[in-house]
Each structure stands twice: as C-alpha cells, then as structure tokens.
Amino acid sequence: MTDPKCPAAPIGFDDFMKVDIRVGTIVEAQPYPEARKPAIKLVIDFGEPIGRKTSSAQITRHYRPEDLPGRQVLAVVNFPPRQIGKFLSEVLTLGVPDSDGEVVLIGPGHEVPKGGRLF
C-alpha cells in the first residue's frame, strides 16, 4: 500500500469510472464486537437495482449504532464481497481520517436520491 499522505500515481478517467461509488442510506447498524478492530455492522440501502448491502465499518470512535440509521453515506459497490470474521461485507463504506487517524464517514451535504453515482 502506498503512503496515504502522498498522492497516488496518475490514472485515466476511464480507470476512475471503473470504481462504482454510490450514495446509500443506512437502514440498520449493530455493534460488531467480534471484529479484530472495533467495528459496526451496517445495512445500507442503495435503492434499485442495487438494493440493500452489508458493510463492516471501523467507525466506533465517532459514531454509535443507534445514531446511524437514516444517514446517507458513499460506498464502493463493485468490489468483491469480503469476509470480515463471520460477517460478509458487500460494499466498502468510505471515510477520511481525522487528525488522530480515526474514520469520519463521507456523505452528501444534502439529501439526495439513493443510488446516485459519484462523478
């Protein structure tokens, strides 16, 4: 993995378009104490045709499961599913690090339709 503080190597626009980043609404959030690093299990609704997908997110520093339903987030929806312990994470929920390196979720600044693609 490259140094996250350094810019990545340049890519073409066609490469960027291969990564399918969509907005979804969190509909369920549960603690995931079995994870190696503290995490929350999410169910995110992307609307049709994607539907509801699961994600394990290491976001416990800034978020409580009971506060997350209804929040819109961005996620990569076209990576292969990844097994996180006994939980299958189907999408990668996106965030950026705060000054301590803890994850802060990324979402739209206004309510938008579910399933909208980042461009």
Side-chain angles (χ1 to χ4, degrees):
M1 183 173 190
T2 60
D3 182 347
K5 292 181 182 179
C6 295
I11 62 171
F13 185 75
D14 290 341
D15 290 325
F16 170 72
M17 290 305 295
K18 291 177 185 177
V19 181
D20 193 354
I21 300 172
R22 303 284 179 138
V23 64
T25 302
I26 297 172
V27 293
E28 295 177 33
Q30 300 175 7
Y32 189 23
E34 303 88 4
R36 277 187 287 144
K37 294 182 180 179
I40 298 175
K41 296 188 287 187
L42 304 173
V43 177
I44 305 169
D45 185 2
F46 294 94
E48 293 303 324
I50 298 168
R52 292 181 173 197
K53 299 291 181 180
T54 57
S55 182
S56 174
Q58 296 173 358
I59 56 173
T60 58
R61 176 74 168 270
H62 295 295
Y63 306 97
R64 299 180 315 165
E66 60 268 25
D67 297 331
L68 291 168
R71 181 185 189 101
Q72 289 194 307
V73 294
L74 291 173
V76 177
V77 299
N78 66 331
F79 284 161
R82 186 170 179 198
Q83 194 72 40
I84 310 293
K86 295 181 180 181
F87 184 74
L88 185 65
S89 189
E90 299 174 292
V91 299
L92 175 65
T93 304
L94 299 176
V96 294
D98 67 9
S99 59
D100 294 324
E102 298 292 335
V103 178
V104 176
L105 293 171
I106 294 178
H110 300 281
E111 186 82 15
V112 297
K114 290 181 277 194
R117 186 170 181 170
L118 178 76
F119 57 83

